Amino acid sequence: AQSVTQLGSHVSVSEGALVLLRCNYSSSVPPYLFWYVQYPNQGLQLLLKYTSAATLVKGINGFEAEFKKSETSFHLTKPSAHMSDAAEYFCAVRVYGGATNKLIFGTGTLLAVQP
Amino acid sequence: NAGVTQTPKFQVLKTGQSMTLQCAQDMNHNSMYWYRQDPGMGLRLIYYSASEGTTDKGEVPNGYNVSRLNKREFSLRLESAAPSQTSVYFCASSGGSPGGNIQYFGAGTRLSVL
């Protein structure tokens, strides 16, 4: 079975500091991995996705993630946090097989950015 | 650019009442999904529809039914609401071919069952 684990349900950084949100996956097949962001009282929107091309994936708003097979990780980073980055972030893995793009989500990491 | 539209945005029910959550997408997507979001649990799949005319159970289907009315619309019904169904419900859709296509989400329905 496939799964993702997000370490740290709450992360707090200062404005301008590095953002690092951790995600580890479990999959018996090469995974497709995603990071979504949810701003308060809104739906989820895609930040970036990994689909077996380049291991370093760049997304919107300056975020990027690196796929590391040896560590089964897909951590999300941003060099310099902005107040507008405060949101909840979800890592997800596509379920292998079938005719849809079903996803399994992690439990989320709430990012707070302090001035 | 409407994308995925959910109605209503908020709803309060009494235990035992029924209601239907509506979802429509205008992106000509084949697949549609219903999730619930609870604190500390992420999003959990309730039901999904791979294409018009088909529906399948997800991780937490008990207490819910769905209808894929046509390619655009996918509704979620609570026949007899329970307090455990207090949650935020999200509808999503995704495009044709498998292999990494992303899901697009609606803004959610916030449901309280008293």
Side-chain angles (χ1 to χ4, degrees):
Chain A
Q2 293 166 287
S3 65
V4 290
T5 302
Q6 291 185 244
L7 298 176
S9 58
H10 291 80
V11 171
S12 181
V13 301
S14 298
E15 193 173 18
L18 171 72
V19 175
L20 171 60
L21 305 181
R22 300 178 185 274
C23 174
N24 288 88
Y25 70 90
S26 173
S27 179
S28 58
V29 298
Y32 287 170
L33 296 163
F34 304 79
W35 276 100
Y36 280 84
V37 60
Q38 184 182 29
Y39 298 104
N41 299 314
Q42 294 186 26
L44 279 70
Q45 57 182 279
L46 183 73
L47 270 179
L48 49 81
K49 65 177 182 178
Y50 168 76
T51 56
S52 74
T55 55
L56 182 62
V57 182
K58 295 187 183 299
I60 62 172
N61 302 335
F63 284 93
E64 62 182 35
E66 186 172 9
F67 174 74
K68 292 186 176 181
K69 184 178 179 180
S70 60
E71 299 177 7
T72 62
S73 69
F74 189 57
H75 301 331
L76 182 70
T77 60
K78 182 174 181 178
S80 177
H82 192 273
M83 296 295 289
S84 61
D85 295 326
E88 190 159 21
Y89 294 80
F90 293 93
C91 182
V93 61
R94 181 182 178 268
V95 175
Y96 177 76
T100 71
N101 294 296
K102 286 192 297 181
L103 298 175
I104 295 173
F105 285 88
T107 52
T109 299
L110 188 62
L111 175 67
V113 182
Q114 308 298 328
Chain B
N1 290 340
V4 179
T5 303
Q6 292 183 237
T7 55
K9 295 189 186 307
F10 303 93
Q11 185 71 48
V12 178
L13 292 177
K14 295 181 179 178
T15 297
Q17 288 185 317
S18 63
M19 79 162 295
T20 299
L21 283 64
Q22 307 287 352
C23 175
Q25 53 92 9
D26 62 2
M27 295 173 284
N28 201 35
H29 285 166
N30 286 328
S31 301
M32 299 185 72
Y33 315 82
W34 276 105
Y35 294 91
R36 60 177 290 171
Q37 183 181 25
D38 302 292
M41 303 190 75
L43 277 78
R44 293 180 293 169
L45 184 64
I46 305 171
Y47 271 93
Y48 66 98
S49 171
S51 60
E52 184 178 355
T54 69
T55 61
D56 285 287
K57 295 178 180 179
E59 182 185 356
V60 289
N62 290 346
Y64 305 95
N65 287 300
V66 290
S67 296
R68 184 73 183 268
L69 304 171
N70 47 55
K71 192 171 186 178
R72 290 187 65 248
E73 298 173 290
F74 188 39
S75 62
L76 178 71
R77 183 161 179 85
L78 287 69
E79 291 291 350
S80 179
S84 60
Q85 294 178 305
T86 293
S87 188
V88 182
Y89 291 86
F90 288 101
C91 177
S93 69
S94 67
S97 61
N101 279 346
I102 68 172
Q103 290 189 16
Y104 295 84
F105 284 80
T109 294
R110 285 152 183 80
L111 175 66
S112 292
V113 182
L114 306 178

